[in-house]
């Protein structure tokens, strides 16, 4: 009897509130590991553990001889397990939730599998001596995991009915273009980083791009993104899409803040603290972009079948046939 009760307690369905909190925790954890990963690079600790999956050829953990750089790099590796545990808890909560929700499981699996995939890419960055293109891929993979975690969080809060657009088709197209440009900003930003001074280790190679030229390209794409976002604000207001307008205004505010940080760090010779803030800002730009994109549609509750649907047939059977 005790064993049966224990199993029942474990199998008890997870509430929607707890499920959404776990999904939110997954978003925060994945953003956090981007910031701590930036700290590894900005403190030149990228090769603090010079190999992977071990920290040294003979040890899975850092040693005293490796100093502070070993502590920082190994600590960031350990945070990957914490992020993975949150993703696993979220996945198990999705499986335990009742009733089962359409679309939640694929997103939860994507987030969970994204963590070990990230660890493998991180290992490749170490094994390639912090190749800047692989480092950039490592960052972009984090953005993909954050996107999946955000989609899961929003999907949990939505009902299971059909998706209905709240703005006209041309504005949905404009929103998609803006999202694409936002992704382009992130991609070009990794090229700028790969050409700059913060390589993660004093001996790591750079990507060979001219820092000034690629920074100008990055700035041009940012200006395009800001212009598109301003256009979205006016367009959403014109069709009285209040939620979409608010989301676009938030996106613009995040973009402008990120732009200010970017310009200041450029003209102050990219100090490490501002670069770290810029990496956090990149995550916020992504999340604000996803929020804007999500605001162009809404998922409404599934309509319950009408109790009168079978009434005519039933009434017909009840009416006696007379000659």
């Amino acid at each position: 009897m005790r064993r049966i009760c224990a199993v029942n307690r474990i199998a008890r369905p997870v509430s929607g509130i707890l499920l959404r909190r776990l999904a939110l925790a997954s978003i925060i954890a994945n953003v956090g590991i981007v910031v701590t990963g930036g700290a590894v690079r900005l403190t030149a600790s990228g090769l603090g553990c010079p190999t992977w999956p071990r920290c040294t050829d003979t040890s899975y953990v850092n040693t005293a001889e490796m100093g502070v750089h070993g502590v920082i790099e190994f600590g960031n590796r350990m945070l990957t397990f914490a992020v993975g545990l949150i993703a696993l808890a979220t996945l198990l909560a999705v499986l335990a939730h009742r009733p089962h929700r359409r679309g939640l499981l694929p997103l939860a699996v994507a987030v969970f599998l994204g963590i070990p995939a990230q660890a493998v890419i991180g290992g490749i960055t170490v094994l390639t001596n912090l190749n800047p293109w692989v480092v950039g891929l490592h960052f972009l993979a984090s953005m993909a995991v954050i996107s999946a975690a955000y989609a899961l969080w929003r999907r949990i809060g939505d009902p299971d009915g059909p998706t209905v657009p709240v703005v006209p088709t041309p504005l949905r197209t404009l929103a998609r273009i803006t999202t694409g440009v936002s992704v382009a900003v992130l991609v070009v930003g990794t090229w700028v980083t790969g050409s700059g001074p913060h390589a993660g280790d004093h001996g790591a190679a750079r990507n060979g791009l001219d820092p000034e030229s690629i920074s100008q390209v990055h700035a041009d794409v940012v200006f395009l993104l800001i212009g598109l976002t301003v256009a979205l604000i006016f367009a959403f207001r014109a069709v009285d899409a209040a939620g979409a307008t608010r989301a676009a205004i938030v996106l613009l505010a995040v973009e402008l803040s990120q732009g200010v940080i970017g310009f200041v760090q450029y003209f102050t010779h990219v100090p490490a603290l501002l670069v770290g803030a810029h990496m956090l800002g990149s995550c916020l730009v992504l999340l604000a972009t996803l929020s804007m994109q999500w605001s162009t549609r809404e998922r409404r509750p599934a309509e319950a079948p009408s109790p009168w649907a079978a009434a005519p047939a039933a009434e017909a059977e009840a009416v006696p046939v007379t000659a």
Side-chain angles (χ1 to χ4, degrees):
M1 287 296 295
R2 290 180 180 178
R3 182 175 298 178
I4 294 174
C5 292
V7 171
N8 288 336
R9 283 196 298 269
I10 295 173
R12 188 170 60 183
V14 173
S15 70
I17 295 175
L18 175 58
L19 187 57
R20 200 154 195 250
R21 286 176 178 173
L22 284 171
L24 179 60
S26 187
I27 296 173
I28 295 171
N30 279 283
V31 171
I33 203 165
V34 169
V35 176
T36 59
V40 171
R41 181 167 58 83
L42 295 171
T43 57
S45 302
L47 294 178
C49 287
T51 188
W52 187 89
R54 297 184 178 185
C55 198
T56 70
D57 290 334
T58 58
S59 174
Y60 281 97
V61 301
N62 61 300
T63 62
E65 292 79 8
M66 301 169 71
V68 66
H69 295 306
V71 172
I72 293 173
E73 165 63 7
F74 182 73
N76 189 63
R77 292 186 183 189
M78 290 299 98
L79 284 176
T80 301
F81 289 99
V83 177
L85 286 175
I86 294 174
L88 176 60
T90 305
L91 174 58
L92 294 177
V94 167
L95 292 171
H97 183 65
R98 296 293 183 276
H100 286 298
R101 299 280 309 280
R102 267 197 333 263
L104 296 188
L105 184 58
L107 290 171
V109 170
V111 174
F112 176 67
L113 294 182
I115 308 305
Q118 268 291 75
V120 171
I121 298 174
I124 294 173
T125 65
V126 173
L127 297 176
T128 57
N129 294 319
L130 306 183
N131 181 290
W133 300 106
V134 182
V135 172
L137 177 62
H138 192 41
F139 173 80
L140 294 175
S142 291
M143 297 298 103
V145 176
I146 291 172
S147 298
Y150 180 84
L152 176 61
W153 178 70
R154 289 297 298 258
R155 184 67 184 85
I156 292 170
D158 285 344
D160 286 331
T163 299
V164 179
V166 297
V167 297
T169 298
L171 297 191
R172 296 202 305 277
T173 301
L174 181 60
R176 293 190 189 101
I177 293 172
T178 304
T179 299
V181 173
S182 182
V183 172
V185 167
L186 296 176
V187 173
V188 178
T190 65
W191 302 347
V192 175
T193 300
S195 69
H198 298 292
D201 184 80
H202 298 300
R206 301 285 71 207
N207 59 21
L209 300 175
D210 177 60
E212 185 173 347
S213 298
I214 195 62
S215 294
Q216 183 60 57
V217 172
H218 184 56
D220 292 341
V221 182
V222 169
F223 284 133
L224 175 60
L225 176 61
I226 291 174
L228 288 170
T229 305
V230 171
L232 279 176
I233 293 173
F234 284 103
F236 288 156
R237 284 176 62 90
V239 297
D240 293 324
T245 302
R246 286 193 298 270
I249 290 173
V250 170
L251 174 58
L252 179 62
V254 175
E255 290 168 354
L256 293 176
S257 300
Q258 179 75 333
V260 169
I261 295 173
F263 275 109
V264 172
Q265 74 171 8
Y266 178 79
F267 289 109
T268 56
H269 307 292
V270 286
L273 185 61
L274 285 182
V275 175
H278 202 55
M279 292 186 69
L280 173 60
S282 297
C283 298
L284 298 180
V285 168
L286 174 65
L287 291 171
T289 300
L290 294 172
S291 175
M292 177 277 299
Q293 185 66 61
W294 217 274
S295 70
T296 61
R297 31 71 80 210
E298 65 180 20
R299 192 180 291 272
R300 295 177 180 172
E303 294 183 2
S306 171
W308 308 105
E315 290 176 359
E317 292 178 0
V319 174
V321 178
T322 58

